[in-house]
Amino acid sequence: MNSMPLLRIVPPVVRIARRPQRMVERQLMCYRRTWPILLSGFFEPLFYLLSIRVGLGKLVGDVKVGGRILGYAEFVAPAMMASSAMNGAVYDSTMNVFHKLKYARVYDAVLATPMGIGDVALGEITWALIRGLLYSCAFLLTMIVLGLASSPWIVLSLPICVLIGFAFAAVGMASTTYMRGWTDFEFVPTATMPLFLFSATFYPISSYGSWAWVVQLSPLYHGVALVRAANAGQSSWGNVGHVGFLLTMAFAGLWVVSRRLQSLLVK
Amino acid sequence: MSPEPLIHATGLRKQFGDFTAVDGIDFNVQPGEAFGFLGPNGAGKSSTMRMIGCTSPISGGTLRLFGLDPATHGRDIRRRLGVVPQLDSLDQELTVEENLIIYGRYFDLSRAEARRRAVELLDFVQLTDRAKSRVEPLSGGMKRRVTIARSLINEPDLLLLDEPTTGLDPQARHILWDRLYRLKQQGVTLVLTTHYMDEAEQLCDRLVVMDAGRIVAEGSPRQLIEQHATREVLELRFPAGTNADNEAYALGIGDRHEVLPDRILVYAHNGDEALAKAIGAGAKPESALVRRSTLEDVFLRLTGRTLVE
Ligand SMILES: Nc1ncnc2c1ncn2[C@@H]1O[C@H](COP(=O)(O)OP(=O)(O)OP(=O)(O)O)[C@@H](O)[C@H]1O
Ligand SMILES: [Mg+2]
C-alpha cells in the first residue's frame, strides 16, 4: 500500500521536525526558576467556577439540553473549561511567540544549530499544549471539588482541551506570523471575545434559533459541545464532527505556519 | 597537493528583492586557516556569513562546506559549525550557564556532557564567576565572551565570527583575540568579519577586502600592504580648511598622496625623507607623523574611501 497520499496531508513543519522536544526542554529550563508564575493559572478556573456556582447558578434556573435537565452551573462549567483552553493556547502562541520572534531573537540562535523551523514551530505548540493540559487538570479538579462534574466521562475533557488548544495554538501562531507590531495584537481579543460569548457558552444552541448555523462556525462552539458531552456522559455521532472540525483547523493552521515561518526566519 | 577546501564558493550571490547584497564572490578557505572579510558598513560581510552559516539560502553561484551543499545538507553542516552572529542572540530568559547547556542540547549532547563542557568553556572565557547570572546585566564584552563560549559547545570544526570585537574596549578586545588565537592553535578554522585593520592583521592568515558586495582584493595582510601601499606613510595635518592650498607640498615627495578632510597622506618608501622634502619646500604643517602602512591604507587605495568613518 502506498502511504504517500496520507503523508501529504501532514503539514511540512511536522514532516521536517526532528527534535521539537528541545524547545520544550528550553521552556522547562525557563520555568525552573519562575514556576510560581505557572501557579497563577490555577486561580483563574477557581474564580470562574466559584462565581458561577455561588452567583449565576442561584439566579438562573435549570437548563434543558438534549432532553436532560441540568443545573446552570453544571451547564456553564464545561464551557468555561473549553474557553480557558482556548485563551491559554491563544496567549502562548501569539504574544509569547511574537516576543521571541521579533525581539528576543531566540529562534535566530536556535536555527544556527541542527534545529530547524519544524522543531521550533512544533516545539512551541507542544509546549502550549503541555501548559494548557496542566491548567485543564486544575480546572477539572476544581469542578469535581465544587460538585460540578456529573459523569466519570468528564476525564475525557482533558484530551478534548488539548485538542482545543492544538487548534487555537496552530491558528494563533499562524496569525502571529502576520503581525507587524504590538498594536496588531489588539485584534486578538476582537476575535476571541465574540467566540467566548457566542459559542453556546452561556445558553444552549437552541436559543440562537435560526442563527444557530453561525454559532456552528465558531471553533470554540465545537470544543464546548465536546466538553459538555463528556460531562453529560453522552456519546453521539455529532462528536465526531466536532473533533473533525478542530483537527481540520489545527492542520490548516500548521500549513500556514509552515509557509510563513520559513519566509520570516530564513532570509 | 592542497587539501580539499573547507569552504568553497564561486560566483556566490545574495539578493534581497531587487537589491544585490553579495554580487558574485569567489573564495576558498582551507582547514586550519584564519580567513577574514574586511569591509565597510553594507559591504555584504554579514550576508556572506549567514550564507556560510546555512541560515540564509544563497541566491546564485555555488557554495560548499565540508564538500556539502547547504541547500540539501544544512543540518549536517550546522552540526559542525560554531556561529557568533554580529548581534548577540543570547537567550535572555536563561542564565549564562543555561544558555550554554541548552545550546549543547540543540546539538544532541547529553545533559551531563553539555554541563561538563559549559563549565569548561566558561572557564576558557573567564566567566566562571558569572555562570549563575542572568544574561541581561552582563557588559557588552562579557556577552560577547558568552556568545563565543556558546559557539564552541559542539566543538566545531569551523568557527564563524561576525565582528567579534565591535563595540568592545581595548582590554576586552585583547582578551578575545587571545582566546581566538588559542582556538586557532588548536586547529579550529576561523572565518571572521571586521572593520578593524589591527584585528585583521592580528588574526587573519589571509583575507579578502569587500566593497559593495564584491571582493576587491585578496591576500595575506602583508601581501596586501606590499601590493597596494608603500612601506611608510607620512601624515600631514594643516590648519582646518587649508588642505587644498597645501596639497602642492605633497606632490613629488612620495609615490602618491591622498587628501582627506582632516589630513594629507603621503605614501613613500621612506616617510622621514618625504617629510624633510616637504619642510624644505616650505610646508608648515601643524603636525606630522610617519607610520607604517596598514590595511586601512590598502582599503583607501582600493576604494577611495576610509574604512571606519
Ligand atoms: N534581510 C535583509 N533584507 C534586505 N536587505 C538586507 C537584509 N540584510 C542585509 N541587507 C542589505 O544588504 C546590504 C549588506 O548588508 P550586510 O549586513 O551583509 O553588510 P555588512 O558588510 O555586514 O555591514 P556592517 O558592517 O554594517 O555589518 C546592506 O545594504 C543591507 O541593507
Ligand atoms: Mg555585518
Side-chain angles (χ1 to χ4, degrees):
Chain A
M1 207 181 89
N2 189 354
S3 63
M4 280 316 285
L6 198 68
L7 264 181
R8 223 168 287 145
I9 64 157
V10 179
V13 283
V14 180
R15 260 180 282 156
I16 60 174
R18 294 288 177 278
R19 38 182 84 71
Q21 71 277 17
R22 299 280 185 265
M23 285 316 288
V24 175
E25 199 175 324
R26 176 191 168 274
Q27 292 284 6
L28 289 175
M29 233 180 205
C30 294
Y31 279 100
R32 203 156 59 190
R33 265 163 292 109
T34 55
W35 58 268
I37 293 178
L38 278 179
L39 280 187
S40 67
F42 289 82
F43 288 101
E44 185 189 311
L46 186 68
F47 293 147
Y48 262 127
L49 291 176
L50 270 180
S51 76
I52 294 161
R53 182 98 180 84
V54 178
L56 274 179
K58 294 259 161 60
L59 284 172
V60 186
D62 293 348
V63 189
K64 192 159 172 245
V65 201
R68 283 181 44 151
I69 306 289
L70 284 178
Y72 190 67
E74 272 173 288
F75 174 76
V76 173
M80 292 295 131
M81 185 171 184
S83 308
S84 153
M86 169 185 83
N87 283 329
V90 166
Y91 183 81
D92 264 339
S93 62
T94 55
M95 306 288 250
N96 281 354
V97 166
F98 186 74
H99 175 76
K100 284 187 251 183
L101 203 58
K102 286 270 152 81
Y103 296 94
R105 289 197 299 273
V106 172
Y107 305 138
D108 288 349
V110 172
L111 293 175
T113 73
M115 303 270 290
I117 57 155
D119 302 312
V120 167
L122 214 57
E124 293 293 49
I125 287 176
T126 307
W127 170 250
L129 299 190
I130 292 175
R131 209 168 105 159
L133 179 62
L134 277 179
Y135 289 169
S136 298
C137 288
F139 215 111
L140 181 57
L141 273 179
T142 316
M143 272 175 75
I144 293 170
V145 168
L146 294 179
L148 297 171
S150 22
S151 146
W153 290 106
I154 186 68
V155 292
L156 283 182
S157 64
L158 294 179
I160 293 167
C161 283
V162 170
L163 177 61
I164 297 171
F166 184 29
F168 278 97
V171 169
M173 198 161 179
S175 357
T176 302
T177 64
Y178 288 97
M179 307 267 182
R180 291 150 304 178
W182 289 115
T183 43
D184 287 346
F185 283 93
E186 293 178 16
F187 291 109
V188 172
T190 315
T192 55
M193 201 60 193
L195 291 186
F196 175 60
L197 293 175
F198 303 112
S199 293
T201 339
F202 296 103
Y203 17 90
I205 189 159
S206 53
S207 40
Y208 291 88
S210 58
W211 289 101
W213 66 273
V214 178
V215 175
Q216 295 197 349
L217 291 180
S218 154
L220 182 59
Y221 161 72
H222 298 277
V224 168
L226 283 171
V227 183
R228 214 163 254 160
N231 196 28
Q234 286 172 331
S235 69
S236 79
W237 283 108
N239 293 342
V240 178
H242 298 314
V243 170
F245 189 102
L246 292 170
L247 273 179
T248 309
M249 174 173 163
F251 274 60
L254 282 182
W255 268 98
V256 177
V257 169
S258 307
R259 299 180 70 120
R260 293 279 307 164
L261 213 55
Q262 178 79 24
S263 64
L264 270 184
L265 285 172
V266 182
K267 284 192 188 122
Chain B
M1 201 188 82
S2 70
E4 193 198 349
L6 213 64
I7 309 177
H8 173 70
T10 48
L12 184 60
R13 293 163 51 77
K14 182 72 204 186
Q15 199 98 30
F16 295 106
D18 290 338
F19 180 78
T20 304
V22 179
D23 196 4
I25 60 173
D26 306 325
F27 62 91
N28 287 310
V29 178
Q30 303 297 333
E33 197 176 19
F35 185 86
F37 289 94
L38 182 70
N41 292 131
K45 304 181 297 292
S46 297
S47 306
T48 306
M49 290 295 257
R50 283 199 303 271
M51 287 191 282
I52 300 174
C54 303
T55 50
S56 165
I58 70 173
S59 312
T62 50
L63 177 64
R64 295 287 178 275
L65 287 102
F66 314 106
L68 300 172
D69 182 353
T72 52
H73 292 80
R75 271 180 210 270
D76 302 320
I77 299 170
R78 292 199 300 270
R79 181 175 294 288
R80 300 173 65 181
L81 299 182
V83 179
V84 176
Q86 181 166 0
L87 297 169
D88 284 315
S89 57
L90 294 169
D91 203 320
Q92 305 281 338
E93 291 179 80
L94 301 175
T95 65
V96 168
E97 191 179 43
E98 287 170 341
N99 258 280
L100 269 60
I101 294 172
I102 193 68
Y103 224 65
R105 297 288 292 155
Y106 297 153
F107 284 94
D108 295 330
L109 299 185
S110 72
R111 269 191 207 91
E113 180 62 11
R115 192 170 295 279
R116 191 188 65 73
R117 289 193 196 175
V119 170
E120 209 175 275
L121 286 167
L122 285 178
D123 180 53
F124 177 66
V125 296
Q126 299 175 314
L127 282 172
T128 303
D129 52 329
R130 304 307 291 267
K132 307 277 182 225
S133 159
R134 285 280 192 132
V135 168
E136 207 195 33
L138 298 185
S139 75
M142 288 176 178
K143 282 186 193 155
R144 222 56 193 136
R145 271 142 69 193
V146 178
T147 307
I148 291 182
R150 188 184 70 173
S151 73
L152 295 171
I153 197 88
N154 57 326
E155 299 180 337
D157 299 317
L158 172 60
L159 187 58
L160 304 175
L161 303 135
D162 197 352
E163 301 194 19
T165 66
T166 297
L168 303 190
D169 65 30
Q171 198 203 348
R173 292 176 74 193
H174 281 280
I175 296 180
L176 272 179
W177 286 350
D178 172 63
R179 299 296 122 155
L180 294 177
Y181 188 72
R182 286 194 207 186
L183 288 170
K184 196 186 153 206
Q185 287 191 315
Q186 291 167 19
V188 179
T189 307
L190 304 180
V191 172
L192 59 115
T193 76
T194 183
H195 288 181
Y196 300 116
M197 302 301 139
D198 49 350
E199 186 157 287
E201 295 186 47
Q202 282 265 339
L203 293 174
C204 299
D205 301 320
R206 212 156 53 83
L207 55 95
V208 291
V209 180
M210 273 188 93
D211 188 32
R214 294 170 185 275
I215 290 178
V216 292
E218 176 180 350
S220 71
R222 259 298 24 100
Q223 281 170 343
L224 288 172
I225 291 168
E226 277 163 15
Q227 279 168 22
H228 303 283
T230 50
R231 197 172 72 93
E232 290 186 336
V233 185
L234 167 64
E235 292 197 5
L236 296 171
R237 278 176 204 273
F238 291 100
T242 65
N243 272 356
D245 305 337
N246 286 303
E247 188 179 351
Y249 294 117
L251 294 171
I253 61 172
D255 293 5
R256 59 191 178 83
H257 71 282
E258 203 83 53
V259 182
L260 301 184
D262 59 336
R263 66 214 140 120
I264 297 178
L265 302 181
V266 180
Y267 291 89
H269 181 71
N270 186 327
D272 289 319
E273 254 174 38
L275 177 58
K277 281 186 204 162
I279 303 281
K284 292 187 180 58
E286 281 185 329
S287 71
L289 164 83
V290 175
R291 59 170 175 80
R292 293 170 64 86
S293 292
T294 67
L295 287 170
E296 174 85 50
D297 301 301
V298 172
F299 191 78
L300 188 63
R301 178 71 205 267
L302 290 169
T303 67
R305 286 184 290 121
T306 52
L307 201 51
V308 184
E309 272 89 28

